[in-house]
Amino acid sequence: MKILILGGNGMLGPWAVRALKDRHEILLTDINERHPDYQGDYLQLSVADVDGVVEAAKDMDVIVNLSVLRPHRQDAFDVNTMGNYAMMVAARKHGIKRVINSGPHYQMAGQQYEDWDFDLNPDMPPAAGTRLYAHTKALGQEVCRVFSQRHGIQVITLLYYNMKHSWDLSGMEPGGPQYHQDMVPYSTAWPDCGTAVQAAVEVPESRLATRCETFFVFPDLPHGKFNNEKIKRVLGWKPRYQVEGLWNKDFRTPPDNLHGAF
Amino acid sequence: MNILITAASSATARIIADSLSGNHMIRLTDLSHNAKGDMIANDLDHGALTDDLVSGINAIINIGFEGQDGTDTHLMDYHTRCTYNLLYAASGSGVSKFINISTLRLYQNHEENLVVTERWRTDPSAEDVAILGAHMTEVVCKEFARDRLVDVVNLRFGWPFVEAVLPDSSYTAATTYDLIAATVSESLLSDQLGPWQDVHVQSPVKHQRFITNTAAKFFPKLAGRLSQ
């Protein structure tokens, strides 16, 4: 399939590329310049550029939106909300039947869920709250839902949260990995984050109950806070890394930094 | 009461402002390319200007449908980012009530014979950005209400807005100007509403499309105008 990836130079993009590049034709786009390690087709493009996204999506089979912007108010709306609008306008214009959206789990299961409940699952009604990142992503998701409803576009949304390096289970937090501490009960290794995108791109439509389906992306974790059953059952996603080093007291020796994304 | 009305150049805002000006202190605002006369030009960006706009305000009446014109992207930006900025400033300033003027056209894809009430999920268009924008404004408002940052009354009015309902009119969801004004006035005064309340309002017409029992319940003074 021909796949347009938006926001592909971020943290998740390279791992999605790794999972997809030998199986599909990829046009990678990002607001930033091409990563020096990436050798495939590339277009510098802001996801908020509606006309540009429409143009880039011509002749594509699938659009994958991995763009993210958190702290700046204007940019967050431009990227997280308007970016999804651009993606859906492009899908409608070109008759693209499937888009893959991404975001944080709390764009749906916001703080009012997380602070109170367990067994949170991706089919709950969204309640993002007003925190900028969650809110803007939730608005983007709502745009996707409406377009899906009205135009029959298949929207598969992958919700992530805490990504970990597979070799030492460190994340984006400073100070290196922490072992034998409480962990975020929604943690996933980067390579598995990428294979989830592959699973979403390739899942047969017949396996999807509706045209707008959302999935929590994380391996089996013992906390019972969130539920990952759906992604395993529907997408057949099998995480390779169980991040058990974070939730049991086995010790892992961190190796050198390794960047195997591309 | 000190009241801020957004999109003040719009026809809807004028209907409301004219009706409230006798009893309240009205502050009018619109985007800088629309503002004229005594309106405060404000593009609803985040920052001090929007904070100043809502300072000292008790209630905001936000024109969440057909308040603005422009490109699709402009309208999407207005109905999401600008609304968020306004609500963010309002919640920080202690505004106690936010009245969002929305539309029953969010249900226009439903068959007319269905008994649509506030319990029904809206079904907005993705083609008509004015309607999609109204929906997105509602979503933004609801999250501020959910977080208990400001109480929101979401008034969905029938269409079109008319001076008076004519006996032979074919409009089944028409709403008169005076009913719009009276509903907003009652919304300002009511202390019976929760942090988030949808209210459907249209004038009583032949083959009336939408049920208005919720409006009659919360705004008993309107009962006579809501039924024939």
Side-chain angles (χ1 to χ4, degrees), chain A residues 73 112 129-130 142 150-151, chain B residues 84-85 135 143 146-147:
Chain A
R73 185 94 60 93
Q112 293 197 29
T130 53
E142 182 62 10
R150 305 305 305 172
H151 298 291
Chain B
Y84 180 91
N85 289 337
H135 172 65
E143 292 308 308
R146 194 197 305 276
D147 277 354

Side-chain angles (χ1 to χ4, degrees), chain B residues 15-16 19-20 155 157 176-189 201 219 221-222 225:
Chain B
I15 293 168
I16 295 167
S19 70
L20 296 177
L155 300 177
F157 287 107
T176 59
Y177 299 159
D178 70 317
L179 182 57
I180 295 166
T183 305
V184 172
S185 181
E186 290 302 302
S187 300
L188 286 166
L189 300 174
V201 177
F219 312 132
K221 288 184 179 174
L222 298 184
R225 302 187 200 203

Side-chain angles (χ1 to χ4, degrees), chain B residues 15 18 50 116 128 134 137 187 206:
Chain B
I15 293 168
D18 288 348
T50 304
V116 174
D128 186 336
T137 289
S187 300
K206 189 176 179 184

Side-chain angles (χ1 to χ4, degrees), chain B residues 170-225:
Chain B
S170 61
Y171 296 127
T172 58
T175 309
T176 59
Y177 299 159
D178 70 317
L179 182 57
I180 295 166
T183 305
V184 172
S185 181
E186 290 302 302
S187 300
L188 286 166
L189 300 174
S190 175
D191 58 2
Q192 302 298 309
L193 303 162
W196 169 262
Q197 182 64 57
D198 291 315
V199 182
H200 291 182
V201 177
Q202 72 155 99
S203 295
V205 296
K206 189 176 179 184
H207 303 305
Q208 180 170 330
R209 181 162 181 174
F210 294 99
I211 304 297
T212 55
N213 293 347
T214 300
K217 171 186 156 191
F218 284 116
F219 312 132
K221 288 184 179 174
L222 298 184
R225 302 187 200 203

Side-chain angles (χ1 to χ4, degrees), chain A residues 155 170 236:
Chain A
V155 175
S170 62

Side-chain angles (χ1 to χ4, degrees), chain A residues 48 50 72-75 77-78 81-82 85 92 112-113 125-133 135-136 138-140 142-143 145-151, chain B residues 45-47 72-74 76-77 80-82 84-85 88 109 121-129 132 135-136 139-141 143-149:
Chain A
V50 177
H72 185 273
R73 185 94 60 93
Q74 174 84 54
D75 292 345
F77 274 93
D78 286 350
T81 303
M82 197 65 78
Y85 178 69
R92 180 178 64 189
Q112 293 197 29
Y113 278 125
T130 53
R131 288 171 57 193
L132 181 64
Y133 180 38
H135 188 81
T136 53
L139 293 177
E142 182 62 10
V143 169
R145 188 193 68 79
V146 172
F147 271 75
S148 174
Q149 182 98 0
R150 305 305 305 172
H151 298 291
Chain B
D45 292 319
H46 66 282
D72 289 357
T73 52
H74 167 72
M76 285 296 291
D77 182 60
T80 55
R81 184 183 63 85
C82 294
Y84 180 91
N85 289 337
Y88 193 91
N109 291 311
R121 187 177 198 173
T122 54
D123 185 21
S125 167
E127 291 283 352
D128 186 336
V129 177
L132 177 60
H135 172 65
M136 298 308 292
V139 176
V140 175
C141 290
E143 292 308 308
F144 277 82
R146 194 197 305 276
D147 277 354
R148 300 293 193 272
L149 295 172

